[in-house]
């Protein structure tokens, strides 16, 4: 492994050459930045990953059942397991998707589950991402470059090969495909994750398209190439947010969606990966109920733990949050990417008072969590090897079977005083090694 760490600069130079970047919008300006790679891998033992795999499959299976229920009979609400306020008041719930049954009844085909490991070894789920989880391409290409830069490292270490993600993705798309080609729908060059869109299209053999390349005719979806030739589309791996997906159904001003796409989808004539409306299942307020959701649908206790979470929506939880404000982290349920996260002890007296007033006015808008002192992992910086906070995004693909990719995206904070690891907040990433024996 020493040889690999010595190649860190080379690997980052190659990643830059291949255009491995992410985009962020700041002050109404689009900026592209390199996603810094650290060559010291995160290593997860075989038995430990088997435990994670079981818990992840269970969680995603239950969440898919929840989505089918919520856009169908809503039995879980009728039975009082989840309050209706946490369904219909959520920005992620889309009435337009009511009674739509997606091909093979799969809603979350690609789930990105964010986990952290506490210092006592316990794994906690921090977030479920069931809309458009990104990031799989980064460890894929990093591993490929590392193999070329330091082949001996991979000859002498027994680890799972992560190059099968594209095969898993293609098999899943083929399974839900209603007849036609697979396409990856990108908003375009200036999207934050455009590198990933193009990379996954190349690796899976899917056609990379924008909304202008797709047309609906006679309740079917077609891809129109530069010659005008039209080919039927059977599965759309969309990287466009719900609200911009179809201007005839959602935001009418959208120029990156496909007019009448939802009509084709409602008829069952195309699969959309992931299903529109999934945001209800990864709403941070809904997160509180996931252990109950697992037990309700599967009659099992949840294998993976949630971080200890409180809902100010409930009076007893509000009282606890107010009494322990300085020891908690508060999250706006509508935000993502590390935004909307407030550590209670970081606020001045005035800001704390303002925040508490907001919390009392809009209790449904926030959750509060205990701050988990998760493990530090080694990274390399100018000072040498130093410890930093890191999480793990695990990828779970649901097609004919539910499969967990034996790899993942490990993100770390480059700030020694920060728990926030998101790329949009200046974090870096590293490869995740899952040992095969």
């Amino acid at each position: 492994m020493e040889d690999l760490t010595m190649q860190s600069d080379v690997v980052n130079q190659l990643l830059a050459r291949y255009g491995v970047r992410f985009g962020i919008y700041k002050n109404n300006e689009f900026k592209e930045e390199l996603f810094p790679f650290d060559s010291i891998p995160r290593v997860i033992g075989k038995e430990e990953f088997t435990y994670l795999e079981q818990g992840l499959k269970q969680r995603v299976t239950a969440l898919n059942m929840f989505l089918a229920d919520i856009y169908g009979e809503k039995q879980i609400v009728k039975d009082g397991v989840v309050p209706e306020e946490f369904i219909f008041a959520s920005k992620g719930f889309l009435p337009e998707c009511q009674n739509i049954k997606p091909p093979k009844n799969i809603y979350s085909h690609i789930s990105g589950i964010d986990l952290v490991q506490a210092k006592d070894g316990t794994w906690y789920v921090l977030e479920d991402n069931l809309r458009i989880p990104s990031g799989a391409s980064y460890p894929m290409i990093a591993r490929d470059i590392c193999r070329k830069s330091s082949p001996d490292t991979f000859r002498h270490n027994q680890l799972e090969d992560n190059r099968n993600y594209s095969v898993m993705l293609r098999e899943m798309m083929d399974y839900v495909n209603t007849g036609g080609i697979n396409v990856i729908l990108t908003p375009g060059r200036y999207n934050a994750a455009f590198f990933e869109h193009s990379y996954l299209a190349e690796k899976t053999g899917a056609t990379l398209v924008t909304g202008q390349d797709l047309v609906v005719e006679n309740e079917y979806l077609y891809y129109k190439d530069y010659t005008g030739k039209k080919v039927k589309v059977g599965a759309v791996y969309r990287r466009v947010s719900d609200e911009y997906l179809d201007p005839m159904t959602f935001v009418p001003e959208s120029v990156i969606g496909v007019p009448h796409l939802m009509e084709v989808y409602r008829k069952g004539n195309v699969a959309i990966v992931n299903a529109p409306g999934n945001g209800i299942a990864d709403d941070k307020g809904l997160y509180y109920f996931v252990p109950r959701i697992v037990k309700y649908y599967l009659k099992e206790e949840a294998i993976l733990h949630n971080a200890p979470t409180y809902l100010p929506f409930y009076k007893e939880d509000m009282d606890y949050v107010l009494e322990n404000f300085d020891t908690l982290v508060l999250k706006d349920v509508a935000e993502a990417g590390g935004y909307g996260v407030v550590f209670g002890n970081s606020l001045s007296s005035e800001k704390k008072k303002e925040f508490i007033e907001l919390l009392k006015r809009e209790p449904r808008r926030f959750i509060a969590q205990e701050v988990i002192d998760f493990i530090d992992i080694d990274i390399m910086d100018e000072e040498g090897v130093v410890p930093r906070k890191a999480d793990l995004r695990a990828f779970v693909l649901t097609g004919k079977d539910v499969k967990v990719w034996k790899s993942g995206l490990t993100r770390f904070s480059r700030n020694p005083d920060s728990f926030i690891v998101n790329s949009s907040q200046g974090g870096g990433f590293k490869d995740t090694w899952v040992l095969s024996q």
Side-chain angles (χ1 to χ4, degrees):
M1 194 181 298
E2 184 178 350
D3 178 57
L4 177 60
T5 57
M6 291 175 64
Q7 301 293 329
S8 183
D9 289 343
V10 174
V11 173
N12 272 288
Q13 288 169 10
L14 288 170
L15 288 170
R17 185 181 300 174
Y18 286 125
V20 182
R21 299 170 181 268
F22 67 92
I24 56 175
Y25 284 93
K26 279 187 178 180
N27 302 320
N28 295 320
E29 288 185 15
F30 177 79
K31 296 180 180 179
E32 275 195 323
E33 297 182 9
L34 294 175
F35 197 1
F37 174 73
D38 184 77
S39 58
I40 303 174
R42 176 182 214 151
V43 180
I44 301 176
K46 182 178 180 180
E47 287 186 12
E48 188 170 26
F49 193 82
T50 298
Y51 159 77
L52 289 175
E53 191 173 31
Q54 292 170 344
L56 290 164
K57 285 181 178 180
Q58 179 197 56
R59 193 174 181 99
V60 169
T61 298
L63 286 170
N64 261 305
M65 295 173 74
F66 168 77
L67 284 162
D69 186 13
I70 286 304
Y71 287 111
E73 297 298 321
K74 300 178 180 60
Q75 197 61 47
I76 196 169
V77 177
K78 295 174 184 175
D79 289 342
V81 179
V82 179
E84 63 180 5
E85 291 91 340
F86 280 84
I87 304 300
F88 305 118
S90 171
K91 291 183 179 179
F93 177 74
L94 299 182
E96 297 87 349
C97 296
Q98 186 66 43
N99 296 321
I100 296 180
K101 291 189 176 180
K104 303 294 198 297
N105 208 34
I106 299 171
Y107 288 78
S108 186
H109 311 79
I110 305 166
S111 307
I113 311 298
D114 293 344
L115 307 111
V116 294
Q117 188 175 25
K119 289 185 174 177
D120 66 359
T122 304
W123 286 91
Y124 291 95
V125 175
L126 282 188
E127 287 186 7
D128 304 290
N129 299 282
L130 280 66
R131 281 175 270 193
I132 317 174
S134 64
S137 62
Y138 299 114
M140 286 173 68
I141 192 169
R143 177 80 64 88
D144 189 47
I145 293 173
C146 286
R147 281 182 175 276
K148 294 173 182 175
S149 302
S150 180
D152 285 346
T153 298
F154 295 90
R155 291 192 189 102
H156 300 141
N157 288 280
Q158 303 299 315
L159 62 149
E160 297 285 353
D161 191 340
N162 77 348
R163 290 175 290 188
N164 66 334
Y165 183 81
S166 55
V167 175
M168 293 169 62
L169 183 56
R170 184 174 64 247
E171 288 177 347
M172 176 272 291
M173 292 176 70
D174 288 343
Y175 178 70
V176 297
N177 190 299
T178 60
I181 63 170
N182 295 324
V183 302
I184 295 180
L185 174 61
T186 177
R189 170 68 184 80
Y190 293 105
N191 181 264
F194 182 75
F195 161 77
E196 178 157 281
H197 308 167
S198 57
Y199 185 77
L200 292 178
E202 175 189 344
K203 292 297 181 182
T204 60
T207 303
L208 184 66
V209 302
T210 65
Q212 295 178 340
D213 299 319
L214 300 177
V215 62
V216 170
E217 290 184 3
N218 301 317
E219 298 181 338
Y220 287 93
L221 182 67
Y222 295 89
Y223 163 64
K224 186 168 63 175
D225 69 15
Y226 69 95
T227 68
K229 179 183 176 182
K230 286 182 284 192
V231 181
K232 188 167 175 283
V233 175
V236 179
Y237 175 13
R238 53 83 175 225
R239 301 299 296 257
V240 173
S241 297
D242 289 352
E243 62 268 32
Y244 302 114
L245 200 52
D246 180 351
M248 309 305 292
T249 302
F250 303 116
V251 176
E253 294 82 15
S254 174
V255 295
I256 58 175
V258 183
H260 304 290
L261 174 61
M262 289 297 292
E263 295 173 25
V264 181
Y265 179 56
R266 183 176 287 277
K267 290 284 186 180
N269 292 338
V270 72
I272 299 180
V273 177
N274 281 333
N278 276 12
I280 181 57
D282 65 17
D283 181 297
K284 289 184 177 68
L286 222 289
Y287 163 93
Y288 176 90
F289 298 98
V290 174
R292 300 184 194 181
I293 289 170
V294 171
K295 191 167 186 177
Y296 179 79
Y297 292 112
L298 301 179
K299 308 299 185 278
E300 303 167 355
E301 295 295 331
I303 295 170
L304 292 173
H305 301 278
N306 274 11
T309 303
Y310 309 94
L311 288 184
F313 176 83
Y314 293 124
K315 182 182 183 305
E316 60 270 30
D317 283 16
M318 175 68 87
D319 291 343
Y320 181 88
V321 171
L322 295 178
E323 290 172 12
N324 298 274
F325 189 87
D326 290 347
T327 68
L328 301 172
V329 56
L330 294 103
K331 297 179 179 180
D332 188 324
V333 301
E335 296 284 359
Y339 295 100
V341 176
V342 175
F343 288 84
N345 62 6
S346 70
L347 299 179
S348 65
S349 297
E350 184 179 345
K351 291 292 183 183
K352 177 179 174 179
K353 182 180 178 182
E354 290 176 3
F355 193 96
I356 288 175
E357 289 175 357
L358 175 62
L359 185 65
K360 289 179 177 178
R361 285 198 309 272
E362 303 181 49
R364 169 63 177 86
R365 180 176 166 183
F366 297 95
I367 63 170
Q369 293 179 324
E370 303 287 353
V371 179
I372 297 173
D373 188 11
F374 51 98
I375 63 170
D376 298 288
I377 62 174
D378 288 339
I379 72 163
M380 294 178 63
D381 72 1
E382 296 81 4
E383 301 173 14
V385 177
V386 295
R388 293 289 184 269
K389 299 299 181 186
D391 75 352
L392 171 67
R393 174 165 291 183
F395 291 89
V396 186
L397 274 63
T398 304
K400 185 176 181 181
D401 303 298
V402 182
K403 298 180 179 179
V404 180
W405 184 36
K406 292 183 178 179
S407 184
L409 175 66
T410 291
R411 300 174 297 182
F412 61 87
S413 171
R414 289 190 288 167
N415 180 345
D417 301 316
S418 176
F419 282 69
I420 299 177
V421 300
N422 304 72
S423 56
S424 57
Q425 305 293 307
F429 81 102
K430 55 172 66 213
D431 196 2
T432 305
W433 287 10
V434 176
L435 300 183
S436 59
Q437 61 182 33

